[in-house]
Amino acid sequence: MQVSSLNEVKIYSLSAGRSLPEWLSDRKKRALQKKDGDIRRRIELIQDFEMPTISTKIKVSRDGQYIMAVGTYKPRIRCFDTYQLSQKFERCLDSEVVTFEILSDDYSKIVFLQCDRFVEFHSQHGHYYRTRIPKFGRDFSYHYPSCDLYFVAASSEVYRLNLEQGRFLNSLQTDASENNVCDINPTHFLFATGTAEGKVECWDPRTRNRVGLLDCALSSVTADTEIDGLPSISALKFNGALNMAVGTSTGQVLLYDLRSSNPLIVKDHQYGLPIKSIQFQHQLDLIISADSRIIKMWNKDTGKIFTSMEPEYDINDVCLYPNSGMLMTANEAPKMNIYYMPVLGPAPKWCSFLDNLTEELEENPESTVYDDYKFVTRKDLENLGLAHLIGSSLLRAYMHGFFMDIRLYHKAKMMANPFAYEEYRREKIRQKIEETRAQRVQLKKLPKVNKELALKLIEEEEEQQAARKRKQKNLPSLLKDDRFKVMFENPDFQVDEQSEEFRLLNPLVSKISEKRKKKLKILEEREAQEQEEEEEPEGKPSDAESSESSDDEKGWVEEVRKQRKLLRQEEKAKRQERFKEDQQTLLKPQFFEIKEGEEFRSFKDSAKKQKLMKKTLGDRLKLEEKLGTLSVSDTTVGSKQATFKLKKNNKIRLRRLLSNKQSTEYMF
């Protein structure tokens, strides 16, 4: 059994290991199991759960007891009984099966659609009836209320075969050239068919009229997708009454709400291969979509990948066992794969021992699938000189890199870096030196900030460790906690011991530490008394405890009162000192000088002038233009002309100057 893990989801492959040939006798098989350890350790959940060459389809009956699979060569069906963990029967057919459907709860009624246009009915005893449809069939669905089989084929018509009357009814005429897949909603029995043109047509079986049309090809093409041709519909599945998932031939899965023509989510498999199967997992709201290369599980609400599986051989069909975590696949190989994921659900009732087995494996983890391989990127390959191996069997492409054998990786790394051993040796020597340093006596290094608080915490921690019992868990230290790291590094967090708050709370802190010490002493006394096995009452009477608590409270109140008295005295002394300083200081008048030619009006004008003088010339000119005292205009020569308007105060000053001039002239 192989175990792989992706996104922390454990996947157990129950069909891993070599399979023994059918022609071997039981004696030789037992001899091989004794010799080969891999064959002895393998888990064969269902005996001979395989096909001669390949398997094409796999389904589970509604009662969960029977698993049926079809394959080649020769074309056949095999039914496996889960209660007996072995094969129930095998029937060979005339031609290959395209798909089949189990009509009853068990294996008693089965319908096969074959590649030569024949529809074959089987009952419990074997072959029952055979009929033919006009065109080569692609898929069919069974309508339980009317007992009608709806066949889609390489034609625009949907053929209807009524099993109650035993005759064909009028077919449904679609607008498509060919129909690839179909499905019927289990809640309201809406019939949907996927066409080769990338559209989904919905029909009402009661009125036989088309009620809706979805253009999925246009919605599947996004900015990130690269397609070569027109996407056609390759898979179709209903979920409940309103949801429907559609898979395209170019590798996209579209989730629709039937009330809207736009998809809720478009998920791309990134391989460009047709989607072959879509399943819904209701417990975790997952969608399981598969192409021929990979099985992806993703959340139907967010589209986030849950996990994925990439089998060794191409996938033809996927079947999810109901209400469990088991997944089965039909492959292009004889062996059909069985996977078990405990995250999806419990194991089925017929193999409930898988839960105990997986729990034991989780308790004793072994090497997973990828332990013998090394994941490398393209850049790592270029550094190792192995870029020429891309595309060969030595590298397995995975996500954004490759998996390669760990032995090949070590050899290539040794050749690319021959001094790797010296670096490894130096690293080992450095680790040994650090180990010896740790064994030396280490001094207690106190932080630069809040040294007293750190010392107090260290002492309390040592006391707690000495008195702590073995069963109790170690409590985290404040000095080692990153949340309180800044308190011992940043000086802004320094505790001010002279502050009023600290002086009032300090008595309380000291009393708490004293109480803690008393409790530790009481515990030590009790342990000593138990060892001596004396029949004396442990602890102290309630009166003594109450008296102690009352004494502690009285002492604390007295200390707080003392601190408050001291604070009041200090405040009173400070007030007296301030009053003396105020009396000693003498107020002197201050004089201000006014410039010549200016008149004193108020301090506000001078403040405005100072602010104006601090501004640049450009700002002052803009301010004067707004006030209207300055106007700038262009001249014909190309220069600029500026005109100023004097304020009222300036006009008065000019008049006074002119009058003074005239008086001096008359005197002369």
Side-chain angles (χ1 to χ4, degrees), residues 331-585:
N331 316 300
E332 291 286 327
K335 188 177 290 187
M336 292 178 284
N337 292 333
I338 302 176
Y339 299 97
Y340 175 55
M341 287 165 281
V343 181
L344 298 183
K349 293 180 181 179
W350 50 272
C351 58
S352 58
F353 59 87
L354 285 177
D355 289 328
N356 300 329
L357 187 64
T358 52
E359 286 176 4
E360 290 177 3
L361 288 173
E362 287 180 0
E363 290 176 0
N364 302 316
E366 297 180 357
S367 60
T368 57
V369 177
Y370 300 118
D371 281 350
D372 297 333
Y373 294 88
K374 175 71 176 177
F375 181 79
V376 290
T377 60
R378 192 180 290 270
K379 189 176 180 180
D380 295 337
L381 290 174
E382 291 175 357
N383 295 334
L384 295 172
L386 300 178
H388 61 281
L389 295 178
I390 297 174
S392 65
S393 59
L394 297 174
L395 296 178
R396 183 180 177 83
Y398 184 76
M399 295 178 70
H400 64 284
F402 306 89
F403 273 112
M404 66 184 300
D405 196 302
I406 192 70
R407 295 170 293 179
L408 176 62
Y409 174 77
H410 287 317
K411 287 181 181 179
K413 192 175 181 181
M414 184 63 69
M415 294 176 68
N417 188 9
F419 300 103
Y421 176 73
E422 292 294 332
E423 295 176 0
Y424 172 77
R425 187 168 171 271
R426 288 173 192 165
E427 184 66 22
K428 282 290 180 185
I429 292 169
R430 189 184 63 80
Q431 290 178 2
K432 285 280 181 73
I433 293 169
E434 287 181 357
E435 287 177 1
T436 54
R437 284 176 181 171
Q439 293 173 1
R440 296 175 186 172
V441 177
Q442 295 180 355
L443 298 173
K444 294 178 182 178
K445 292 183 179 180
L446 295 175
K448 295 180 180 179
V449 183
N450 291 328
K451 289 184 179 180
E452 294 181 1
L453 178 61
L455 184 60
K456 186 178 180 182
L457 291 172
I458 291 169
E459 290 176 355
E460 288 180 357
E461 189 176 354
E462 289 176 354
E463 290 174 2
Q464 288 176 1
Q465 287 178 357
R468 192 179 293 123
K469 294 181 181 179
R470 294 179 181 178
K471 294 182 180 180
Q472 291 179 348
K473 296 181 179 178
N474 293 329
L475 298 173
S477 176
L478 292 177
L479 294 170
K480 298 177 182 178
D481 199 336
D482 293 336
R483 296 175 295 175
F484 304 97
K485 188 178 179 181
V486 186
M487 191 170 68
F488 301 100
E489 294 178 355
N490 194 345
D492 296 336
F493 291 93
Q494 178 69 42
V495 177
D496 187 7
E497 296 182 359
Q498 301 299 325
S499 63
E500 182 180 352
E501 292 82 2
F502 181 81
R503 291 174 68 178
L504 292 175
L505 289 173
N506 193 32
L508 179 63
V509 175
S510 62
K511 285 294 175 184
I512 290 171
S513 62
E514 288 176 5
K515 285 181 180 179
R516 198 175 290 149
K517 290 178 183 178
K518 287 179 182 178
K519 286 182 180 178
L520 291 172
K521 287 180 182 179
I522 292 167
L523 290 172
E524 289 175 359
E525 290 175 0
R526 285 181 181 176
E527 289 178 359
Q529 288 174 1
E530 286 177 359
Q531 289 176 359
E532 293 173 0
E533 296 181 355
E534 293 179 355
E535 297 181 356
E536 291 181 2
E538 296 180 358
K540 295 183 180 180
S542 60
D543 298 334
E545 291 178 359
S546 61
S547 62
E548 275 191 5
S549 61
S550 61
D551 293 339
D552 293 339
E553 289 177 0
K554 288 177 182 178
W556 176 75
V557 170
E558 289 176 359
E559 287 184 5
V560 171
R561 285 176 180 173
K562 287 179 182 179
Q563 292 292 334
R564 284 182 178 173
K565 284 181 181 179
L566 289 172
L567 288 171
R568 288 171 187 169
Q569 290 175 3
E570 289 176 1
E571 287 180 2
K572 193 174 181 180
K574 287 179 182 179
R575 286 175 194 166
Q576 290 177 358
E577 287 179 1
R578 288 174 189 170
F579 183 72
K580 288 179 180 179
E581 288 177 358
D582 293 340
Q583 286 181 348
Q584 290 176 1
T585 54

Side-chain angles (χ1 to χ4, degrees), residues 566-625:
L566 289 172
L567 288 171
R568 288 171 187 169
Q569 290 175 3
E570 289 176 1
E571 287 180 2
K572 193 174 181 180
K574 287 179 182 179
R575 286 175 194 166
Q576 290 177 358
E577 287 179 1
R578 288 174 189 170
F579 183 72
K580 288 179 180 179
E581 288 177 358
D582 293 340
Q583 286 181 348
Q584 290 176 1
T585 54
L586 297 173
L587 297 175
K588 296 180 181 180
Q590 293 182 355
F591 298 94
F592 298 92
E593 188 178 354
I594 302 173
K595 293 181 181 180
E596 294 180 359
E598 292 186 359
E599 294 180 0
F600 175 76
R601 293 184 179 179
S602 64
F603 288 103
K604 293 182 180 179
D605 293 341
S606 61
K608 286 181 181 179
K609 284 182 181 180
Q610 287 178 0
K611 288 182 181 178
L612 187 63
M613 291 304 292
K614 288 180 181 179
K615 292 184 179 180
T616 59
L617 180 61
D619 294 338
R620 281 184 280 170
L621 291 174
K622 288 179 182 178
L623 184 62
E624 289 181 359
E625 282 181 3

Side-chain angles (χ1 to χ4, degrees), residues 218-418:
L218 186 62
S219 301
S220 65
V221 179
T222 59
D224 300 331
T225 55
E226 295 180 2
I227 56 172
D228 297 330
L230 183 68
S232 60
I233 307 300
S234 59
L236 188 66
K237 187 71 176 178
F238 280 104
N239 178 35
L242 297 175
N243 291 332
M244 177 181 67
V246 180
T248 64
S249 59
T250 54
Q252 289 86 27
V253 180
L254 298 88
L255 182 63
Y256 280 94
D257 190 318
L258 294 179
R259 296 168 292 185
S260 174
S261 59
N262 297 321
L264 301 175
I265 291 176
V266 179
K267 191 69 178 176
D268 196 349
H269 272 222
Q270 304 292 338
Y271 282 106
L273 300 172
I275 304 297
K276 293 201 170 185
S277 175
I278 299 175
Q279 302 287 335
F280 287 91
Q281 210 277 342
H282 301 287
Q283 281 78 9
L284 298 178
D285 291 334
L286 299 177
I287 295 178
I288 305 172
S289 56
D291 55 21
S292 60
R293 190 168 180 179
I294 192 169
I295 302 171
K296 287 192 176 183
M297 301 182 189
W298 45 281
N299 191 284
K300 70 175 185 179
D301 298 323
T302 60
K304 185 179 178 181
I305 285 289
F306 181 72
T307 187
S308 62
M309 291 178 290
E310 201 168 349
E312 187 178 357
Y313 300 100
D314 290 346
I315 303 165
N316 289 327
D317 193 21
V318 176
C319 177
L320 182 66
Y321 197 91
N323 303 320
S324 73
M326 183 173 286
L327 191 74
M328 295 170 285
T329 62
N331 316 300
E332 291 286 327
K335 188 177 290 187
M336 292 178 284
N337 292 333
I338 302 176
Y339 299 97
Y340 175 55
M341 287 165 281
V343 181
L344 298 183
K349 293 180 181 179
W350 50 272
C351 58
S352 58
F353 59 87
L354 285 177
D355 289 328
N356 300 329
L357 187 64
T358 52
E359 286 176 4
E360 290 177 3
L361 288 173
E362 287 180 0
E363 290 176 0
N364 302 316
E366 297 180 357
S367 60
T368 57
V369 177
Y370 300 118
D371 281 350
D372 297 333
Y373 294 88
K374 175 71 176 177
F375 181 79
V376 290
T377 60
R378 192 180 290 270
K379 189 176 180 180
D380 295 337
L381 290 174
E382 291 175 357
N383 295 334
L384 295 172
L386 300 178
H388 61 281
L389 295 178
I390 297 174
S392 65
S393 59
L394 297 174
L395 296 178
R396 183 180 177 83
Y398 184 76
M399 295 178 70
H400 64 284
F402 306 89
F403 273 112
M404 66 184 300
D405 196 302
I406 192 70
R407 295 170 293 179
L408 176 62
Y409 174 77
H410 287 317
K411 287 181 181 179
K413 192 175 181 181
M414 184 63 69
M415 294 176 68
N417 188 9

